[in-house]
Amino acid sequence: MSSISEFHLLSVLAQEMNMRKAAERLFVSQPALSQRLQSLEKDWGTKLFLRSQKGLTLTPAGEVVIQFINETIAREEKARESIHALNSEVYGTLKIAVASIVGQNWLPQVLKKYVNRYPQAKISLVTGWSSEISKALYEDQVHIGIIRGTPDWKGVKIHLFKDSLYLVDTEITSPEQVLDTDRPFIQFKSDSNYYQEIQDWWLRQFQTAPKRTIIVDQIETCKQMTFNGIGYAILPAITLNGAEKDIFKVPLHDENNEPLGRDTWLLGYESAFRLKQVQAFIDIVNEHIVESKKTDK
């Protein structure tokens, strides 16, 4: 049977689908990698990759082998995590899937504390929409998911924070002024209930649709277009660090005159929370929340 190192080689080839890039990641020469691949294909008794000028393509047999290899590597990693969990030190890989906006604006401060305190631990981080994060959790690809909105989750659920929503513009100083401007309302795509919340607020407030809208694919694009005076937007406080110049930020309120905001939650399964690297992360998250509340005061 192939060794784990050989499994790693084939896994990298399948990820890169390019001999040069794979050789660079594996710190070997292309000829050496090519010779090693030929030897492995001989061991498996079949062609695993087809080569062309465009790169590599998996054969049907190759797809079967790579699936087996990835499952084996994942099982080995889980076994190592379980072994490390028996020790007092924090080892292993902390696997996190996080909403992009949180990954950009909140998580880096927490991870900085984590890596400084636990240098032996590793971090695997993916960002995306809430639906992608939920899928990663359900398929056991990550230990922790951090999402926006109100989750329907049966496992462990920890409320991290709630940030207010603001009408942001270079000119508008009150919500009613949107009815008098011809400048567009800039919105960003989201698969969470954020978009619906804004629509509901808008209809309650104005009983009519915006005159003009611009839809962009990223919240950062929306923010930069707003800051450059192209139009106005509704943005969460997490994206506004207070360093913005000549920008008006008007807080929004619901029908009960309560501040309109977005919740952020940390989700996971009880089994994952028993791992030392996950426990350590939760401890640091709780510390950070307490420190943030003190700072806000």
Side-chain angles (χ1 to χ4, degrees), residues 14-214:
Q15 291 169 32
E16 296 295 345
M17 288 300 187
N18 181 284
M19 291 293 289
R20 179 182 60 78
K21 292 181 180 179
E24 289 174 356
R25 274 186 60 181
L26 295 165
F27 300 102
V28 298
S29 66
Q30 280 187 242
L33 178 59
S34 179
Q35 186 175 2
R36 189 87 180 274
L37 176 57
Q38 289 176 14
S39 176
L40 289 173
E41 288 179 327
K42 185 177 179 181
D43 289 343
W44 283 98
T46 184
K47 270 282 186 186
L48 303 178
F49 294 90
L50 297 177
R51 307 183 204 190
S52 69
Q53 290 182 339
K54 294 183 179 180
L56 299 175
T57 304
L58 278 171
T59 64
E63 291 178 3
V64 173
V65 170
I66 293 301
Q67 181 179 350
F68 166 73
I69 284 172
N70 289 338
E71 289 173 354
T72 302
I73 291 174
R75 285 199 299 271
E76 187 219 13
E77 191 167 315
K78 278 206 167 192
R80 290 184 182 277
E81 286 177 351
S82 298
I83 293 169
H84 287 316
L86 300 174
N87 302 324
S88 58
E89 294 293 329
V90 175
Y91 291 93
T93 301
L94 174 68
K95 300 176 185 177
I96 311 174
V98 59
S100 297
I101 185 174
V102 180
Q104 294 167 1
N105 298 283
W106 180 84
L107 188 62
Q109 301 172 55
V110 178
L111 289 182
K112 181 180 179 181
K113 296 176 183 177
Y114 185 82
V115 298
N116 287 339
R117 193 174 303 178
Y118 305 109
Q120 300 297 328
K122 299 177 182 178
I123 296 171
S124 171
L125 175 66
V126 294
T127 61
W129 282 353
S130 293
S131 62
E132 297 168 330
I133 293 164
S134 297
K135 183 173 182 288
L137 277 169
Y138 282 123
E139 295 180 354
D140 204 24
Q141 296 173 358
V142 296
H143 300 130
I144 289 171
I146 299 178
I147 72 168
R148 302 276 281 172
T150 304
D152 180 17
W153 182 252
K154 305 301 182 185
V156 180
K157 184 165 65 173
I158 301 173
H159 185 259
L160 297 181
F161 58 88
K162 182 172 185 175
D163 55 321
S164 300
L165 298 182
Y166 291 88
L167 178 66
V168 181
D169 192 31
T170 56
E171 299 179 10
I172 293 172
T173 58
S174 70
E176 293 74 21
Q177 292 176 10
V178 302
L179 299 175
D180 301 321
T181 183
D182 290 325
R183 293 161 68 248
F185 177 29
I186 306 172
Q187 298 173 276
F188 60 91
K189 293 179 182 177
S190 172
D191 71 339
S192 68
N193 60 353
Y194 177 86
Y195 181 81
Q196 190 59 49
E197 285 182 16
I198 298 304
Q199 297 302 306
D200 293 345
W201 174 86
W202 188 282
L203 290 174
R204 285 197 308 268
Q205 191 80 12
F206 306 118
Q207 292 81 49
T208 183
K211 293 180 183 178
R212 296 172 58 202
T213 59
I214 295 177

Side-chain angles (χ1 to χ4, degrees), residues 221-273:
T221 305
C222 174
K223 174 181 170 181
Q224 293 304 323
M225 290 177 70
T226 303
F227 284 9
N228 282 279
I230 296 172
Y232 58 93
I234 293 176
L235 295 171
I238 192 174
T239 64
L240 307 170
N241 57 22
E244 304 84 18
K245 295 181 179 179
D246 303 320
I247 298 294
F248 296 106
K249 296 179 287 187
V250 184
L252 303 186
H253 296 82
D254 61 20
E255 62 270 28
N256 299 316
N257 205 34
E258 294 292 329
L260 204 64
R262 293 284 287 163
D263 289 301
T264 298
W265 294 83
L266 184 150
L267 313 177
Y269 290 110
E270 189 67 45
S271 57
F273 279 62

